[in-house]
Amino acid sequence: MNTSIIELKNVSKTYSTAAGDFPALRNINLTVNSGEFLGVVGKSGAGKSTLLNMINGVDGLSSGEVIVNSGGQRVSVHELSEDEKARWRGKTMGVVYQSFQLLPMLTLVENITLPMDLAENFKPRESRERALELLRLVEIEEHADKLPAFVSGGQQQRVAIARALANDPEILVADEPTGSLDSITADHIFDVFSRLVTERGKTIIMVTHDMGLRGRFTRSLTLTDGELEMEVTAAAKPKRSRKQ
Ligand SMILES: Nc1ncnc2c1ncn2[C@@H]1O[C@H](COP(=O)(O)OP(=O)(O)O)[C@@H](O)[C@H]1O
Ligand SMILES: [Mg+2]
């Protein structure tokens, strides 16, 4: 399937600071197809978080267009009001952060039922069942009734992924989701994302500064100083002449 689910057209973002204007994104053009696991790789300060915040509408763009075509709805994200954006994001896009951001006073399962109850997509009785099912999917169901502080970072990130799936969005965006984990745990978390793409048909955009992950996405692009590298299609790649 090759349907475009996210389109960025000439997206620029300039932050105005006391020190002057800072162009964090310059003229980004990007089409993400349904079912892709897209990696955006770049150094710290390249504009990765800014790019995700344009896609999920957490921050407004300076110019250009962001169009998301999900659940039979084609939405110009930049044209929605704040309220509309929050509602739209809740059902369209799950967000996973480097720092997990679970609510510390809620158990793991309650962290997942909360967004469901807020969106009122499921009956309260269904939401616990569904939350447990999601915890099973990320293989942490046995800790369901613990508080976040009583499980490891990798386990908290599994819960954060389950929470991102709470309202069954087609799209997940992840901002350095393995950035604070040791390499073995990071590997397991990466596998969870991979399975969501291959087994559940999710579309995932992950940003990372870890160049080593580049080969593991279905497609990866590099962001440098706010500019996204042009994609080189197979046909346009120069052929290497073989040494005799
Ligand atoms: N709210 C902001 N105000 C001013 N500058 C910002 C703001 N957010 C990010 N920046 C700057 O924009 C650039 C890109 O930031 P960011 O998107 O966070 O990069 P990355 O996620 O790749 O590390 C950095 O130089 C950063 O200092
Ligand atoms: Mg960042």
Side-chain angles (χ1 to χ4, degrees):
M1 209 171 41
N2 236 15
T3 9
S4 88
I5 189 163
I6 300 169
E7 286 171 54
L8 278 74
K9 295 182 184 169
N10 294 315
V11 170
S12 295
K13 173 69 177 181
T14 298
Y15 291 112
S16 297
T17 70
D21 286 351
F22 182 84
L25 293 177
R26 306 160 195 253
N27 238 3
I28 305 283
N29 285 290
L30 172 65
T31 300
V32 183
N33 288 322
S34 179
E36 270 198 283
F37 187 8
L38 175 70
V40 176
V41 185
K43 292 183 184 154
S44 175
K48 303 184 296 298
S49 296
T50 305
L51 179 68
L52 288 190
N53 288 342
M54 300 297 108
I55 294 172
N56 62 26
V58 163
D59 201 358
L61 40 72
S62 303
S63 62
E65 283 184 85
V66 176
I67 296 156
V68 176
N69 194 357
S70 171
Q73 231 189 337
R74 189 177 159 86
V75 168
S76 297
V77 182
H78 54 287
E79 288 173 354
L80 300 179
S81 69
E82 288 303 319
D83 277 0
E84 287 170 332
K85 257 193 293 204
R87 228 170 308 128
W88 165 82
R89 189 184 312 120
K91 62 177 167 44
T92 312
M93 217 172 271
V95 187
V96 180
Y97 300 96
Q98 176 171 351
S99 54
F100 327 133
Q101 301 198 6
L102 301 177
L103 292 175
M105 307 306 286
L106 297 183
T107 64
L108 304 187
V109 69
E110 287 166 350
N111 265 279
I112 301 167
T113 51
L114 182 69
M116 285 188 235
D117 296 341
L118 290 175
E120 297 181 334
N121 277 348
F122 303 94
K123 294 191 190 107
R125 221 176 318 140
E126 285 172 355
S127 66
R128 184 176 162 92
E129 262 321 293
R130 181 174 158 74
L132 289 172
E133 208 175 282
L134 290 170
L135 286 174
R136 205 171 309 141
L137 178 71
V138 297
E139 297 171 351
I140 192 169
E141 193 198 7
E142 70 271 27
H143 300 297
D145 294 314
K146 291 186 182 167
L147 292 174
F150 292 89
V151 300
S152 70
Q155 289 170 325
Q156 289 188 49
Q157 193 60 303
R158 286 176 188 269
V159 178
I161 295 170
R163 179 185 55 188
L165 295 168
N167 290 311
D168 203 24
E170 264 186 281
I171 304 166
L172 292 186
V173 297
D175 193 348
E176 310 251 13
T178 58
S180 57
L181 303 173
D182 67 83
S183 62
I184 292 172
T185 310
D187 228 51
H188 291 151
I189 293 296
F190 196 93
D191 285 343
V192 173
F193 282 107
S194 287
R195 279 199 291 121
L196 290 172
V197 174
T198 53
E199 295 171 16
R200 302 270 161 154
K202 300 293 178 193
T203 303
I204 301 183
I205 304 179
M206 181 187 294
V207 304
T208 176
H209 67 268
D210 185 351
M211 311 286 171
L213 289 175
R214 238 179 333 210
R216 298 180 58 185
F217 299 105
T218 54
R219 177 164 64 122
S220 75
L221 295 170
T222 305
L223 189 65
T224 312
D225 297 334
E227 283 185 278
L228 204 56
E229 72 174 340
M230 291 286 292
E231 263 198 278
V232 183
T233 59
K237 270 186 193 159
K239 286 204 178 81
R240 291 231 181 108
S241 57
R242 277 233 217 117
K243 281 194 179 142
Q244 297 293 320

